[in-house]
Amino acid sequence: QVQLVESGGGLVQAGGSLRLSCATSGNIFNVYVMGWYRQAPGKQRELVADITPGGSTNYADSVKGRFTISRDNAKNTVYLQMNSLKSEDTAVYYCNAGRISGGTRFNSWGQGTQVTVSS
């Protein structure tokens, strides 16, 4: 089981920026797809961005051009830089580590960090 600890959430005005961090329990980036998901009240959890072991990134259409996912292999940490924040970005953000073995995806989740964007 991979341990994930998020930090960096908070309250910010629309148009502002935040950087989320996800510290992992070890050097897992060569095996796991690392992702950020979010869940707003009354809505399903959705993928925001992810990064593969090879470094390819993928973003939800709603955040393209505003959010950037990155990782620091030396620090075993994944980041989500969020710029030009909008009120609709308000949600609990979760870090995810996923791998596929034998056709099954195994997921580990962090505890989540609240992001609130005021308009």
Side-chain angles (χ1 to χ4, degrees), residues 7 12 14 18 23 32 36 52 57 69 83 107 112:
S7 60
V12 64
L18 282 174
Y32 286 81
W36 287 96
T52 69
T57 57
I69 188 170
N83 299 328
N107 289 296

Side-chain angles (χ1 to χ4, degrees), residues 57-98:
T57 57
N58 174 53
Y59 295 92
D61 287 343
S62 59
V63 306
K64 282 181 181 176
R66 300 190 296 122
F67 290 11
T68 302
I69 188 170
S70 64
R71 66 190 185 203
D72 185 329
N73 293 344
K75 296 183 178 180
N76 296 326
T77 301
V78 178
Y79 303 99
L80 184 68
Q81 178 66 44
M82 305 185 294
N83 299 328
S84 302
L85 283 161
K86 305 176 181 179
S87 57
E88 51 263 45
D89 296 318
T90 295
V92 178
Y93 284 69
Y94 297 91
C95 182
N96 170 273

Side-chain angles (χ1 to χ4, degrees), residues 2 4 6 22 24 28 32-37 45 47 49-51 69 78 93-99 105-110:
V2 175
L4 306 171
E6 301 105 332
C22 173
T24 71
I28 64 171
Y32 286 81
V33 175
M34 301 301 301
W36 287 96
Y37 290 71
R45 192 172 297 189
L47 175 67
D50 61 22
I51 182 167
I69 188 170
V78 178
Y93 284 69
Y94 297 91
C95 182
N96 170 273
R99 66 178 179 90
R105 181 178 172 108
F106 295 88
N107 289 296
S108 295
W109 295 93

